[in-house]
């Protein structure tokens, strides 16, 4: 029973992370820096407790994956700033799922049978339809897509980097707690570089506030590690993706965005389709 509670940590942590980041008017760069500092502090504590063996090669691989995360997370924050949590996060989650699936098929060759290919393609299409449906908004007597091409472009590029962050360690067979500290070092190094390149004033209060954003992310990340070790990748992965429900519905309620019954129908149907696609993909892992 306890392990299922642990498996819910990614749902809550990754679901509330973008909401926490946007409770204060911080820039995406400040959000990234605060998140990365907190992630490194959390990683240092975890390293002190677990003491995993880290080799030079595993450090480099995980460090690079952390850099990919920073670029991806910065773009996700920018996508949210341009639209909203409720609009950007379904796109982000959905396109990350599609990206990870493409890597699994093309690089790791996970779909070995015709039935797997058919189910996988169907699942991807279901996810994409769900993503588009969550962005529908009532305009007059019609329901139309309200997310701009610009936002789609930013979030899809974000998902590309976040997918690289996920698959890099897998590609070089780096596993376990040895990933977390080098990854966090890469995250913070890149975040500092991005803020220095911006050459504008950084609010210490905004960065400090976003330590909470990083704590939410770190708890989710740890929960995913622990759940995967006991429940396996397929089950823990499926549960974790329910974070899209928390981010989307939580974003609407917490930021008091008014939605008509028709808009709620499209949003909830879209989330439902994304979760159906997640379950179908998990069956193929």
């Amino acid at each position: 029973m306890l392990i299922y509670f642990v498996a819910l940590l990614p749902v809550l942590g990754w679901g509330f992370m973008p909401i926490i980041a946007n409770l204060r008017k911080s820039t995406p760069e400040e959000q990234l820096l605060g998140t990365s500092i907190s992630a490194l502090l959390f990683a240092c504590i975890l390293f002190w407790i677990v003491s995993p063996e880290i080799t030079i090669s595993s450090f480099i691989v995980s460090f690079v994956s952390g850099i990919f995360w920073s670029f991806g997370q910065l773009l996700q924050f920018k996508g949210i700033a341009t639209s909203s949590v409720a609009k950007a996060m379904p796109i982000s989650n959905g396109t990350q799922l599609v990206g990870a699936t493409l890597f699994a098929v093309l690089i790791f060759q996970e779909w070995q049978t015709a039935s797997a290919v058919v189910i996988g393609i169907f699942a991807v299409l279901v996810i994409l339809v769900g993503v588009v449906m969550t962005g529908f908004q009532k305009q007059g007597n019609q329901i139309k897509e309200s997310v701009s091409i610009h936002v789609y472009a930013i979030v899809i590029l974000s998902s590309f980097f976040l997918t690289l962050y996920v698959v890099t360690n897998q590609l070089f067979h780096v596993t376990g707690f040895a990933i977390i500290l080098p990854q966090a070092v890469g995250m913070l190094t890149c975040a500092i570089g991005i803020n220095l390149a911006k050459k504008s004033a950084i609010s210490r209060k905004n960065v400090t506030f976003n330590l909470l954003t990083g704590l939410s992310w770190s708890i989710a990340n740890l929960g995913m590690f622990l759940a995967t070790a006991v429940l396996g990748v397929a089950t823990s992965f499926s549960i974790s993706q329910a974070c899209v429900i928390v981010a989307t519905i939580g974003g609407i309620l917490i930021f008091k965005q008014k939605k008509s019954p028709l808009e709620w129908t499209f949003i909830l149907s879209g989330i439902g389709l994304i979760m159906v696609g997640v379950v179908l993909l998990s069956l193929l892992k």
Side-chain angles (χ1 to χ4, degrees), residues 25-270:
K25 295 295 182 182
S26 310
T27 66
E29 290 80 8
E30 290 167 343
Q31 291 171 336
L32 178 68
L33 185 58
T35 303
S36 300
I37 291 171
S38 186
L40 181 59
L41 292 173
F42 192 92
C44 288
I45 294 170
L46 193 62
F47 179 81
W48 177 69
I49 295 171
V50 181
S51 299
E53 181 181 351
I54 300 175
T55 65
I56 294 176
S57 59
S58 70
F59 184 94
I60 293 172
V61 169
S62 297
F63 181 88
V64 171
S65 76
I67 291 175
F68 287 142
W69 177 89
S70 287
F71 283 118
Q73 193 58 57
L74 175 68
L75 289 166
Q76 187 189 87
F77 284 146
K78 285 180 178 291
I80 292 170
T82 308
S83 55
S84 68
V85 173
K87 289 182 179 180
M89 289 312 295
I91 302 171
S92 182
N93 279 88
T95 51
Q96 283 180 65
L97 286 166
V98 172
T101 300
L102 290 175
F103 269 95
V105 175
L106 300 176
I107 306 299
F108 303 115
Q109 299 180 337
E110 289 189 3
W111 297 353
Q112 297 292 330
T113 64
S115 61
V117 172
V118 171
I119 294 172
I121 292 174
F122 177 72
V124 168
L125 291 175
V126 166
I127 289 170
L128 292 176
V129 171
V131 165
V132 173
M133 286 183 69
T134 60
F136 280 7
Q137 185 173 319
K138 191 176 181 182
Q139 298 176 2
N141 294 323
Q142 294 181 313
I143 189 87
K144 295 182 179 179
E145 175 62 48
S146 64
V147 182
S148 68
I149 297 297
H150 177 65
V151 172
Y152 267 109
I154 292 174
V155 178
I156 289 172
L157 184 58
S158 159
S159 295
F160 172 73
F161 282 111
L162 290 174
T163 301
L164 287 178
Y165 142 74
V166 171
V167 302
T168 298
N169 287 291
Q170 186 179 357
L171 187 62
F172 291 93
H173 308 291
V174 181
T175 59
F177 288 104
I179 294 172
I180 294 180
L181 181 59
Q183 199 171 68
V185 173
M187 290 161 61
L188 182 56
T189 301
C190 188
I192 291 172
I194 288 170
N195 275 273
L196 289 175
K198 192 184 177 189
K199 296 179 181 179
S200 59
I202 299 171
S203 167
R204 183 176 296 179
K205 288 183 178 180
N206 287 345
V207 172
T208 302
F209 178 83
N210 279 286
L211 293 178
L212 294 174
T213 309
L215 179 61
S216 184
W217 182 88
S218 298
I219 291 172
N221 202 37
L222 176 61
M224 188 65 181
F225 267 94
L226 296 175
T228 299
V230 178
L231 299 176
V233 173
T235 303
S236 57
F237 172 79
S238 299
I239 296 172
S240 73
Q241 294 310 301
C243 64
V244 69
I245 301 172
V246 176
T248 305
I249 297 177
I252 292 171
L253 298 177
I254 291 172
F255 295 112
K256 299 179 180 179
Q257 300 172 1
K258 293 183 179 180
K259 299 292 180 183
S260 68
L262 184 58
E263 287 172 331
W264 272 113
T265 299
F266 272 88
I267 290 167
L268 296 177
S269 298

